[in-house]
């Protein structure tokens, strides 16, 4: 009998699980919100941020400054590349200079009374309270947030454009900012007023169903104002005097321009992921049209492929060679560029600005009337994308929950999901329209830039599916990617089963261990999580080793196979 990955993880097929293992399976079964970007994603599109901000409040007047470490990351640990992850979030800067600047920006203040340090996936945030009760937020980006100078400049410019293009979106006032880390503080920063109201994620559980629906409507009334703004190109927004080459920007007016995309995927700032430009030149935009945007995606994929074959280190069979990646990406370029000429895709690709993380933690509401939006924060990495790029993004306040209770006609979560569908379809059809179309029209665009990270099989699968359905999908002519032979298809299907097993393994492990998909866990849970992780690996390894007659289609047959797809460090 084949022992599936799912069976191993749940412990149902682990021979004689120990009492400790059983207790751990029970202990770690509770879901924890641990990602800022928990969009509705396909199997090979992971989430990117960590959600829960770790908070360490210090009373400046009574606790020695040494007790507050403003530089090091202290919120949690990672089961994979732990040291690299934490080192990438270390910020060397002058905390005293930051405090002095905050006091200078608060008329009538003489000192800071409290400082609350919070950490997300890409920034360190300090919430200061001064002696005249003024609350001010200072946010410093980690190096992984995006390209130096550009990321901060773009966020401030985006906020200014959103505020100044006839929208009524409430955004806290920026008091000071710098995109030059050589300043007196020693880091890029944004200092702004604290948002009015209360965070929606705190207020949401106590809201009645009709309040939640009215709140969703209010959010999308604001979103509509932003989505309706028209732009002539794809990329990120900047001030006109941003440090950009003239050829990489398109002027909007005397104050603003569109320039290179500042998203981390286009730059060499991802933990453990290098960029190489021997096969292609850097292509971060801006892009004047959809075919150019497609070139940016493919060139980004090429920039991840190393110049020589890396030394194999538990690399899964489905990953593919350097040469295979290069061939597939060039084939993929021809496919997505031909698809981009289809009128349906062109119509769904209007350059659109959207909030990159529209979830409850970034929305503030009135405590008296939570249908009144008082602030929307965290505009970092906002960008102008084809409208269809946002089609899969479902905010956390609109996700269907468990089925309604007995005698309950409809659960609040179901009602909110319906409210989201209605509001988005009527208020922002430019973004919601592609959601109603066949997703196969857009899937190749989503995965072409990450073949080296996912393994070649993921993007190859999209191209095969597109090729087989080319006529059915209504495309003209023939597909530039030729369907595989029966023998090639059989090999691909075997590799894709292993790929699916790897992602099932990651998802189930993350759920059982109560971690984010990349293995992040809060500092206070680290020792117990690490121990549980090792016990789970040993239990699954024992199941593999004692499975003397695996089925032919079983993707995990031996220890080497298991280690190759295990998502965390062992």
């Amino acid at each position: 009998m084949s022992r599936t990955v799912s069976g191993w993880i749940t412990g149902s097929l682990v021979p004689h699980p120990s009492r400790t293992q059983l207790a751990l399976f029970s202990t770690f079964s509770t879901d924890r919100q641990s990602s800022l970007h928990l969009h509705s994603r396909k199997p090979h599109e992971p989430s990117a941020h960590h959600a829960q901000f770790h908070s360490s409040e210090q009373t400046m007047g009574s606790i020695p400054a040494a007790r507050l470490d403003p530089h090091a990351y202290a919120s949690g640990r990672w089961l994979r590349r732990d040291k690299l992850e934490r080192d990438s979030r270390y910020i060397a800067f002058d905390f005293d200079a930051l405090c002095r600047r905050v006091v200078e920006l608060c008329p009538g203040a003489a000192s800071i009374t409290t400082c609350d340090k919070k950490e997300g996936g890409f920034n360190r945030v300090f919430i200061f309270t001064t002696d005249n009760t003024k609350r001010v937020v200072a946010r410093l980006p980690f190096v992984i947030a995006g390209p130096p100078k550009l990321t901060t400049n773009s966020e401030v410019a985006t906020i200014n454009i959103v505020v100044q293009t006839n929208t009524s979106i409430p955004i806290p006032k920026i008091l000071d900012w710098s995109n030059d880390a050589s300043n007196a503080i020693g880091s890029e920063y944004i200092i702004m007023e604290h948002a009015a109201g209360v965070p929606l994620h705190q207020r949401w559980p106590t809201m009645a169903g009709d309040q939640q629906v009215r709140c969703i409507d209010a959010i999308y009334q604001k979103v509509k104002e932003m989505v309706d703004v028209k732009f002539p190109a794809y990329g990120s927004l900047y001030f006109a005097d941003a440090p950009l080459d003239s050829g990489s920007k398109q002027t909007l007016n005397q104050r603003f321009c569109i320039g290179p995309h500042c998203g981390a995927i286009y730059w060499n700032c991802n933990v453990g992921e290098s960029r190489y430009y021997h096969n292609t030149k850097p292509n971060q935009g801006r892009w004047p049209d959809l075919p150019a945007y497609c070139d940016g995606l493919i060139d980004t994929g090429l920039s991840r492929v190393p110049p020589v074959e890396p030394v194999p280190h538990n690399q899964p069979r489905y990953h593919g060679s350097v040469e295979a990646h290069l061939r597939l990406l060039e084939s993929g370029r021809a496919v997505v560029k031909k698809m981009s000429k289809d009128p349906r895709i062109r119509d769904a690709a209007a350059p659109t600005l959207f909030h990159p993380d529209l979830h409850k933690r970034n929305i503030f509401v009135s405590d008296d009337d939570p249908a009144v939006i008082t602030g929307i924060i965290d505009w970092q990495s906002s960008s102008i994308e084809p409208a269809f790029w946002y089609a899969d993004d479902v905010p956390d306040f609109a996700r269907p929950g468990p089925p309604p209770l007995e005698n309950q006609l409809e659960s609040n979560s179901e009602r909110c999901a319906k409210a989201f569908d209605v509001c988005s379809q009527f208020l922002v059809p430019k973004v919601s329209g592609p959601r109603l179309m066949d997703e196969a029209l857009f899937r190749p665009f989503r995965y072409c830039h990450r073949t080296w990270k996912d393994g070649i099989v993921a993007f190859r699968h999209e191209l095969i599916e597109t090729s087989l359905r080319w006529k059915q999908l209504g495309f003209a002519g023939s597909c530039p990617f030729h369907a595989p032979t029966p023998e090639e298809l059989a090999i691909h299907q075997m590799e894709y089963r292993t790929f699916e097993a790897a992602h099932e393994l990651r998802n189930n492990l993350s759920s059982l261990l109560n971690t984010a998909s990349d293995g992040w866990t809060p500092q206070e849970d680290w020792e117990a999580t690490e121990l549980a992780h090792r016990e789970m690996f040993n239990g699954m390894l024992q199941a593999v080793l004692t499975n003397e007659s695996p089925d032919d289609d079983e993707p995990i047959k031996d220890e080497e196979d298991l280690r190759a797809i295990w998502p965390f460090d062992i």
Side-chain angles (χ1 to χ4, degrees):
M1 180 183 73
S2 175
R3 302 184 182 215
T4 65
V5 169
S6 172
W8 293 333
I9 295 177
T10 57
S12 60
L13 295 175
V14 176
H16 309 296
S18 68
R19 183 175 302 175
T20 303
Q21 284 177 306
L22 292 173
L24 286 167
F25 287 135
S26 173
T27 300
F28 289 104
S29 63
T30 307
D31 184 36
R32 178 177 63 227
Q33 172 92 359
S34 55
S35 170
L36 282 177
H37 284 277
L38 292 174
H39 300 155
S40 176
R41 297 179 183 271
K42 303 302 179 294
H44 41 281
E45 190 177 6
S47 57
H49 286 65
H50 305 111
Q52 285 207 339
F53 277 95
H54 176 83
S55 176
S56 53
E57 186 171 1
Q58 305 290 318
T59 304
M60 305 298 284
S62 59
I63 296 180
R67 291 278 299 277
L68 173 65
D69 184 351
H71 309 292
Y73 185 85
S75 298
R77 301 284 296 272
W78 282 262
L79 291 171
R80 184 168 185 261
R81 297 188 297 216
D82 179 56
K83 187 176 187 304
L84 275 176
E85 295 282 3
R86 287 184 289 129
D87 288 350
S88 69
R89 290 165 173 82
Y90 184 90
I91 306 178
F93 71 104
D94 189 334
F95 181 66
D96 291 337
L98 177 63
C99 293
R100 289 194 296 271
R101 185 62 183 139
V102 167
V103 172
E104 292 170 358
L105 292 169
C106 298
S111 64
I112 291 171
T113 56
T114 64
C115 174
D116 190 6
K117 174 188 172 185
K118 297 177 179 287
E119 293 178 313
F122 296 96
N123 301 276
R124 180 158 300 130
V125 176
F126 299 96
I127 301 178
F128 295 101
T129 303
T130 62
D131 57 349
N132 62 346
T133 69
K134 181 77 171 179
R135 296 183 76 197
V136 174
V137 177
R139 188 152 60 85
L140 283 62
F142 300 138
V143 294
I144 58 174
K149 297 183 181 294
L150 300 186
T151 302
T152 301
N153 187 296
S154 178
E155 180 173 6
V156 178
T158 300
I159 290 173
N160 275 266
I161 287 178
V162 170
V163 170
Q164 295 178 3
T165 50
N166 300 317
T167 79
S168 61
I169 298 174
I171 303 175
K173 180 182 178 182
I174 294 177
L175 303 175
D176 189 25
W177 66 280
S178 173
N179 65 340
D180 185 356
S182 66
N183 57 42
I185 291 172
S187 170
E188 297 185 36
Y189 64 85
I190 297 175
I191 300 175
M192 60 201 317
E193 294 178 347
H194 195 283
V198 297
L200 181 57
H201 77 93
Q202 292 180 6
R203 189 69 173 80
W204 191 261
T206 64
M207 292 166 60
D210 65 312
Q211 288 181 311
Q212 293 176 342
V213 168
R214 288 192 295 113
C215 181
I216 292 172
D217 178 65
I219 291 169
Y220 276 84
Q221 292 286 350
K222 301 296 184 187
V223 168
K224 171 181 169 55
E225 300 177 29
M226 171 178 55
V227 170
D228 284 348
V229 179
K230 292 181 172 58
F231 294 99
Y234 307 105
S236 293
L237 294 164
Y238 298 91
F239 288 103
D241 61 355
L244 298 170
D245 296 334
S246 58
S248 67
K249 63 182 181 181
Q250 181 169 344
T251 301
L252 294 176
N253 53 41
Q254 290 184 333
R255 292 195 62 198
F256 302 108
C257 67
I258 300 175
H261 198 300
C262 66
I265 67 170
Y266 294 100
W267 302 84
N268 191 16
C269 55
N270 299 82
V271 177
E273 297 178 26
S274 298
R275 290 288 189 274
Y276 311 92
Y277 294 108
H278 58 288
N279 290 311
T280 184
K281 295 179 180 179
N283 186 353
Q284 292 105 3
R286 50 112 188 137
W287 303 288
D289 51 38
L290 187 57
Y293 181 89
C294 294
D295 277 330
L297 292 174
I298 295 293
D299 289 340
T300 296
L302 289 170
S303 73
R304 294 186 176 192
V305 182
V308 295
E309 207 71 52
V311 177
H313 179 67
N314 291 340
Q315 198 173 77
R317 291 191 300 266
Y318 59 74
H319 189 270
S321 67
V322 165
E323 185 60 34
H325 278 265
L326 298 180
R327 287 197 307 268
L328 188 74
L329 282 166
E330 289 304 339
S331 295
R333 188 194 302 272
V335 172
V336 295
K337 292 191 76 170
K338 188 166 185 176
M339 292 174 68
S340 71
K341 297 176 182 179
D342 186 278
R344 297 165 299 169
I345 292 178
R346 285 204 311 267
D347 291 345
T352 304
L353 177 67
F354 201 79
H355 190 283
D357 190 22
L358 193 66
H359 297 287
K360 294 196 291 278
R361 289 181 176 275
N362 289 328
I363 300 171
F364 284 70
V365 297
S366 167
D367 197 21
D368 296 329
D369 183 0
V372 175
I373 310 303
T374 59
I376 298 180
I377 64 171
D378 193 7
W379 294 80
Q380 187 181 73
S381 298
S382 299
S383 55
I384 303 168
E385 310 279 0
F388 67 71
W389 198 258
Y390 305 110
D392 281 350
D393 292 356
V394 178
D396 55 2
F397 52 76
R399 295 197 188 105
L405 301 173
E406 189 177 357
N407 299 324
Q408 184 181 5
L409 295 179
E410 186 177 50
S411 67
N412 280 354
S413 61
E414 284 185 321
R415 189 179 299 117
C416 289
K418 291 180 180 179
F420 163 75
D421 285 339
V422 171
C423 289
S424 58
Q425 288 176 30
F426 281 92
L427 297 174
V428 287
K430 184 163 67 172
V431 171
S432 64
R435 194 180 300 128
L436 304 177
M437 299 168 65
D438 190 328
E439 66 173 357
L441 295 171
F442 308 113
R443 286 178 66 89
F445 296 91
R446 296 187 180 280
Y447 306 123
C448 59
H449 65 281
R450 46 183 301 128
T451 69
W452 193 257
K453 182 174 182 177
D454 292 336
I456 196 170
V457 69
F459 185 43
R460 186 175 64 202
H461 187 76
E462 300 304 335
L463 293 182
I464 291 173
E465 291 294 306
T466 301
S467 174
L468 294 174
R469 295 188 60 198
W470 189 260
K471 293 296 185 184
Q472 179 186 348
L473 291 170
F475 291 116
S478 60
C479 178
F481 182 80
H482 300 294
T485 65
E487 293 78 12
E488 291 171 336
L489 184 60
I491 294 173
H492 167 77
Q493 289 172 340
M494 181 181 67
E495 292 180 344
Y496 194 73
R497 282 195 296 270
T498 306
F499 170 78
E500 290 182 310
H503 282 267
E504 182 183 3
L505 172 62
R506 178 186 290 272
N507 292 338
N508 288 334
L509 272 179
S510 299
S511 176
L512 286 168
L513 292 170
N514 212 15
T515 70
S517 61
D518 60 359
W520 180 88
T521 189
Q523 185 68 44
E524 60 270 20
D525 296 340
W526 170 247
E527 291 186 3
T529 302
E530 189 181 33
L531 174 62
H533 168 236
R534 292 190 177 278
E535 290 203 7
M536 286 183 180
F537 176 80
N538 291 333
M540 290 179 65
L541 177 59
Q542 182 66 20
V544 172
L545 295 178
T546 56
N547 188 17
E548 297 178 356
S549 301
D551 291 348
D552 291 340
D553 63 349
E554 173 56 60
I556 312 301
K557 292 183 171 64
D558 54 33
E559 181 175 353
E560 182 180 355
D561 288 341
L562 179 61
R563 289 184 178 274
I565 70 167
W566 195 263
F568 306 135
D569 294 340
I570 289 294

